[in-house]
Each structure stands twice: as C-alpha cells, then as structure tokens.
C-alpha cells in the first residue's frame, strides 16, 4: 500500500443519490474521480487496471446512509481484495491520509526468483498496522482464506514477479558502469522510467520502494527517485 491523495470536492451525484431510497454510490462521476485519484490501481494489492473493479467502502457502512455515500469512505479496489476484506477488517490504515504514514509502517517484499510468498511485516505495534498487515497477508498469500482466494493471490504474485523483472531491468541499465557515457536522450529515458516505476501510479510501488530501502547499494544510488 502507498499514499493516495484523494481529490475534493466530492462528486456531485453522491449528495443527490443519498436522498433516494435506492441511490447508487457508483455513478459515472464517482467512478471517474476514483479511477483518477487511485491511478486505476487497487489501493490494497496495488495491481494496475484490475479486471474486476469495485467501489469499496473503506469502513463498512452496515446500512448507514451517511457512511454509504461518504466520499471519504469510497475507495478503488479489485474484486479479489474487496472479497477478502469484506466486513472482517475494520481498523486498517487509511492510505488517503498523509498523517497515517502508510509507506513507513508496513514493510513488504517478494523475491521474484525464490519467493513463493509476499513477505509483510508491521513496523510498529499500532492495532491498525497489525490488522492491515494481516489483511495484506490474506490478500497476497491466502492466509486464512479459501482455496479460490489463494489461487487469486497466486495470480497477483505472478504479476508482481513480472513487474519486478521489468523494474530490475531499468535499475540495471541505470547502474551500468557505462551509463554516464550514454547519449543524453537515453539517460533521460532511463531516469524517467525509474521515476515512473517508483511513483504512486505504478503497479506494486511499495514492493519496489522496499527493494531500494533494504539494499544499501540500491539505496545510495536510487533513493532520490522515491517520491
């Protein structure tokens, strides 16, 4: 998970739909604004352009109309993550709140060659950090989930591996000893690719950033590209 800067004001349809007996919280203006704010990424697993998209209630509304149509409570999620989370995880970190500091509270890693699971570690003992860590373990590794959810998680992990190999390819080009001797347009392209991979809009950004933070050599050379 990474920080997402949610835009305001809220989509106009939410106030009008909330007055209806069967109002909808996923009208076109809501979908458009959520897709943009979350870079068309699931806020939990960070997959990009998910095949199944849900407008998820960050805090379960449980029939409460105010929470159901609260713009601050609507998030962009993939079907897998929404179905794992359901109403079971009610105290997780709000990644749209900059003061929550999501990037520094959970360490997340995966070895693209040997790792069968995504490694997730809470870096403090705040109850919301611990619960978010447990949710992410269920999402990626199927901890405590059904066989179907574990298979879905395996598909996400395959996408992570593919993305990490792309990322390492760009990193290696930047760190190549002949890089400084390359043409300026080539260097600009590689630098831009690095910035894109490490931006909030990229798939699985948190894992890529932790690859840099936990490698002393990478960190000394690439920390400047982390937003």
């Amino acid at each position: 998970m990474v920080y997402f800067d949610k835009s305001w004001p809220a989509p106009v349809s939410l106030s009008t739909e909330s007055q209806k007996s069967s109002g909808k919280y996923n009208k076109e203006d809501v979908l458009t604004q959520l897709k943009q704010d979350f870079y068309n990424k699931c806020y939990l697993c960070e997959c990009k352009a998910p095949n199944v998209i849900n407008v998820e209630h960050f805090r379960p509304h449980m029939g409460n109309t105010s929470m159901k149509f609260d713009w601050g409570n609507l998030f962009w999620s993939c079907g897998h993550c929404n179905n794992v989370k359901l109403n079971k995880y009610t105290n997780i970190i709000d990644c749209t709140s900059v003061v929550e500091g999501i990037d520094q509270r959970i360490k997340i890693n995966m070895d693209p060659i040997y790792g069968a699971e995504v490694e997730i570690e809470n870096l403090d003992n705040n109850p919301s950090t611990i619960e978010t860590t447990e949710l992410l373990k269920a999402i990626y590794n199927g901890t405590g989930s059904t066989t179907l959810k574990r298979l879905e998680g395996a598909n996400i992990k395959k996408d992570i591996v593919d993305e990490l190999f792309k990322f390492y390819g760009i990193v290696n080009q930047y760190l190549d000893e002949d890089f400084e001797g390359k043409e300026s347009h080539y260097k600009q392209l590689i630098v831009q690719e690095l910035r894109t991979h490490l931006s909030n809009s990229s798939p699985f950004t948190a894992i890529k950033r932790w690859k840099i933070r936990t490698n002393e050599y990478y960190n000394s050379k690439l920390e400047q590209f982390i937003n």
Side-chain angles (χ1 to χ4, degrees):
M1 293 173 70
V2 293
Y3 170 68
F4 295 97
D5 187 11
K6 209 162 184 206
S7 62
W8 296 82
V12 174
S13 71
L14 289 174
S15 62
T16 56
E17 290 294 311
S18 67
Q19 304 304 312
K20 301 177 181 178
S21 59
S22 57
K24 299 183 181 300
Y25 53 83
N26 58 351
K27 302 291 283 187
E28 184 174 354
D29 59 344
V30 173
L31 296 174
T32 298
Q33 199 162 330
L34 280 177
K35 180 181 179 182
Q36 178 176 313
D37 288 352
F38 287 90
Y39 307 108
N40 198 20
K41 282 173 55 171
C42 172
Y43 81 99
L44 289 167
C45 72
E46 288 196 80
C47 66
K48 185 90 170 181
N51 291 327
V52 179
I53 298 167
N54 290 173
V55 176
E56 193 214 57
H57 290 89
F58 181 68
R59 306 293 184 200
H61 64 80
M62 307 300 286
N64 183 301
T65 300
S66 178
M67 292 183 68
K68 185 176 181 180
F69 292 91
D70 177 8
W71 172 238
N73 199 35
L74 299 180
F75 283 43
W76 196 252
S77 170
C78 72
H80 169 72
C81 289
N82 192 20
N83 286 332
V84 171
K85 178 173 175 276
L86 295 175
N87 297 333
K88 295 186 294 184
Y89 300 87
T90 59
N91 183 32
I92 67 172
I93 300 170
D94 183 352
C95 61
T96 66
S97 172
V98 67
V99 298
E100 291 280 347
I102 178 65
D103 290 6
Q104 300 299 325
R105 292 173 62 183
I106 294 177
K107 179 181 175 182
I108 180 167
N109 188 32
M110 183 180 182
D111 188 321
I113 299 177
Y114 301 108
E117 293 192 343
V118 178
E119 300 169 2
I120 304 156
E121 177 186 354
N122 52 291
L123 300 179
D124 63 54
N125 291 319
N126 188 304
S128 63
T129 308
I130 294 172
E131 187 163 322
T132 305
T133 300
E134 293 307 309
L135 171 58
L136 293 177
K137 288 179 179 178
I139 285 169
Y140 289 118
N141 302 323
T143 306
S145 297
T146 64
T147 300
L148 182 60
K149 295 294 183 295
R150 288 194 291 273
L151 290 172
E152 291 173 352
N155 289 336
I156 295 174
K157 287 184 284 190
K158 181 181 181 301
D159 290 340
I160 293 173
V161 169
D162 292 343
E163 185 66 18
L164 283 177
F165 277 123
K166 294 176 188 176
F167 175 58
Y168 281 139
I170 297 299
V171 167
N172 289 337
Q173 289 180 70
Y174 179 79
L175 297 178
D176 188 286
E177 60 183 17
D178 295 327
F179 182 75
E180 290 302 321
K182 301 290 186 180
E183 295 289 340
S184 61
H185 70 276
Y186 172 84
K187 290 193 286 188
Q188 291 172 5
L189 177 63
I190 297 303
V191 167
Q192 183 56 50
E193 287 282 347
L194 270 177
R195 293 192 187 280
T196 299
H197 268 288
L198 293 168
S199 70
N200 286 359
S201 63
S202 177
F204 314 115
T205 310
I207 294 178
K208 296 173 188 174
R209 289 176 177 173
W210 279 108
K211 288 291 184 186
I212 292 175
R213 294 187 184 117
T214 55
N215 182 301
E216 185 176 346
Y217 178 68
Y218 280 3
N219 197 46
S220 67
K221 298 291 186 179
L222 304 172
E223 184 184 21
Q224 60 182 308
F225 298 115
I226 298 179
N227 294 341

